[in-house]
Amino acid sequence: MVTNTRRAEADFEVAIVGAGFSGLCMAIKLKEAGIDSFVVLEKAAEVGGTWRENTYPGCACDVQSHLYSYSFEGNPNWSRKFAPWNEIYDYILQCTDEHGLRSHIRFGHEVGEAIFDAGPGLWRIRTTSGSTVTARAFVLGTGPLHVPLIPDIPGLETFQGKVFHSSQWEHGFDFEGKTVASIGTGGSAIQYVPEIATKAKQLHVFQRTAPWILPKPDREYTGLERSLFRVSPRLRQLHRGWLYVRNEVRLLPIMNPMLARPLEKLATLYIKRCIDDPALVEQLTPDYTIGCKRVLLSNNYYQVFNRSNVELLTDAITQIKEHSVVTKDGTERPVDAIILGTGFHADPRNYLDKLTIKGLGGRDLLAHWKSGPEAYLGITVAGFPNMFELVGPNTGLGHNSLIFMIESQVHYIVQCLKVLRAKNAKYMNVRTHVLRRYNEELEHRLEDTVWTSGCKSWYTQEDGKNIAIWPGFSFRYRARTRTVDANDYVWTPNPEKANVRSDGRNGHSHGDRHRRSAFGGVGGAD
Ligand SMILES: Cc1cc2nc3c(=O)[nH]c(=O)nc-3n(C[C@H](O)[C@H](O)[C@H](O)COP(=O)(O)OP(=O)(O)OC[C@H]3O[C@@H](n4cnc5c(N)ncnc54)[C@H](O)[C@@H]3O)c2cc1C
């Protein structure tokens, strides 16, 4: 490792990992800020993240598309309120091309290691194929729901039929005449189950915990609406604003368990309206407070269980054999295919486990997070200078668009880079006590909310600590990330600048370099 104290040239000002909504937003806003020296390292062969990978039948967003899109890149052409995955994917491709991002992206580059070298103040980033880049700032846009969670069921690997995860859909598989087991009843499963139920001969839906599901206020946009959105961006923005406010209001029953009761009653009525059999109604009614886990939206999921070829099973699966699934009551059901609608590893200690990140003094990020991932505003971690996370700990939302949070984070990071430039600092490191105080505040705000009412979900780790959710209105998060309080960070000076100050000379040459670079005057590729 290089440890000289002079600032060395970095290949890039900023290296971004991942080309999903997060990484691409970061790239767009860097360009806008005049920071052109950046690289996006993407392990796949195309941009898109979530929307490149989730292509299962019925896949769509569950936040309205006019809101689940960049605020600065409105799309008047969404076909319906909740667009299907392919429209979202096309939108991402379009944004990538319109903003000229492709020349900055290195596809097929999976980042396996990032090590901070404090001497020169740069990140040394290595891909799994062995190539390296150095950058002043390191931005993680690896995605919170990206690594499929494969359940640990004895015998799964011995199954001789077709088995795949919902995010790795096998489009060539023909469901006609097949007996299928679908495991899990989360956000993805409730979208694909109604689609395959009409094709499969028999569908067994294995449910561990019933989700709360409300009707989805979905419909097509009329031609007139789309034309109006095209001619009047103002109207489209008003529509977006209205959707945003409506979604924020949905937080009220989640923040206050008393208000959750009436919503639960409504949701229970909805189940009864959709399902004929009272025993099924009971099995499909969750036993935890609404909002504790993500509330799902669907207009066709419950109805599926009225079909004679669909069976809901609530007994745990104890074993999978070569051609069958065995449940706790000893029943063995022969199946041709198993679909894993089991969600994703949402804990960064799992989804980042193939990526070694080392900060000051060789501190390992995942070891540092042993008792729980924590980041200031979900973005910066003490001991990991110039490292920024997108959709980091406690910045997920259950009630509104994650893109709103991503844009807030990207804005904050650009502000950080500007302050680094203004201070001509080598690196910034969030103060430990600032991070601690922030986390105490989060824990305090989570108290007495529905999230801490006792359910087990991917929002929480084993000891019950919520590591995923931002406990409050998203506009409060936006307000917190508008500006960077320089007192929250330790700014390590650039020794070259210190020399300039002490001897009062060399001002010109350094000044020239500062003009050449976006922050701090270093950067080889701009
Ligand atoms: C089916 C589904 C539906 C969803 N619907 C909604 C919704 O309606 N509303 C909402 O707000 N949110 C929704 N989400 C959450 C969604 O994940 C986020 O909204 C958003 O897409 C996250 O974007 P991202 O860029 O952070 O992550 P991703 O989209 O996951 O992108 C991460 C990228 O990083 C790359 N990558 C990861 N690790 C590495 C590495 N080591 N090296 C190089 N590249 C790497 C990946 O290949 C990927 O391209 C949904 C998620 C799923 C799975």
Side-chain angles (χ1 to χ4, degrees), residues 255-374:
M255 292 301 281
N256 183 342
M258 289 295 285
L259 294 175
R261 298 291 163 224
L263 192 62
E264 262 179 26
K265 286 218 165 76
L266 275 178
T268 312
L269 276 176
Y270 177 56
I271 305 175
K272 288 180 178 156
R273 211 185 75 198
C274 298
I275 303 280
D276 308 329
D277 177 358
L280 260 178
V281 169
E282 204 180 316
Q283 283 179 308
L284 287 164
T285 305
D287 59 2
Y288 57 86
T289 311
I290 195 166
C292 187
K293 289 163 174 263
R294 192 177 176 89
V295 180
L296 308 179
L297 303 175
S298 173
N299 296 328
N300 58 1
Y301 175 70
Y302 286 138
Q303 293 82 342
V304 145
F305 297 99
N306 295 325
R307 296 177 64 94
S308 58
N309 70 328
V310 179
E311 184 188 21
L312 178 73
L313 294 151
T314 52
D315 259 339
I317 298 174
T318 50
Q319 194 188 357
I320 290 176
K321 294 188 176 174
E322 286 186 1
H323 299 284
S324 62
V325 176
V326 185
T327 45
K328 203 173 161 196
D329 60 358
T331 310
E332 184 170 345
R333 289 176 177 80
V335 294
D336 300 306
I338 299 174
I339 303 174
L340 304 172
T342 40
F344 300 86
H345 283 289
D347 183 327
R349 288 164 297 182
N350 294 322
Y351 65 72
L352 290 179
D353 70 346
K354 285 205 199 126
L355 209 174
T356 303
I357 299 175
K358 290 191 176 170
L360 284 175
R363 187 182 307 185
D364 182 87
L365 182 68
L366 299 194
H368 183 64
W369 277 349
K370 204 164 75 180
S371 53
E374 292 179 345

Side-chain angles (χ1 to χ4, degrees), residues 17-23 41-44 48-54 56 59 61-63 68 109-111 141-146 188 294 344 355 391 400-402 406:
V17 190
F21 265 124
S22 294
L41 301 164
E42 167 56 59
K43 67 178 174 180
T50 296
W51 304 102
R52 180 190 66 233
E53 286 173 13
N54 291 272
Y56 56 79
C59 181
C61 51
D62 60 8
V63 168
Y68 189 65
H109 279 60
E110 176 169 2
V111 175
T142 55
L145 302 177
H146 169 64
S188 300
R294 192 177 176 89
F344 300 86
L355 209 174
V391 202
N400 219 332
S401 173
L402 201 53
I406 292 169

Side-chain angles (χ1 to χ4, degrees), residues 67-69 71 240 244 248 397 400-409 473-479 481:
L67 196 53
Y68 189 65
S69 44
S71 62
R240 180 184 166 95
Y244 174 77
E248 282 297 272
L397 294 181
N400 219 332
S401 173
L402 201 53
I403 295 176
F404 183 87
M405 301 299 271
I406 292 169
E407 285 189 30
S408 307
Q409 289 156 8
F473 292 105
S474 61
F475 57 78
R476 285 189 66 177
Y477 184 78
R478 174 66 56 99
T481 48

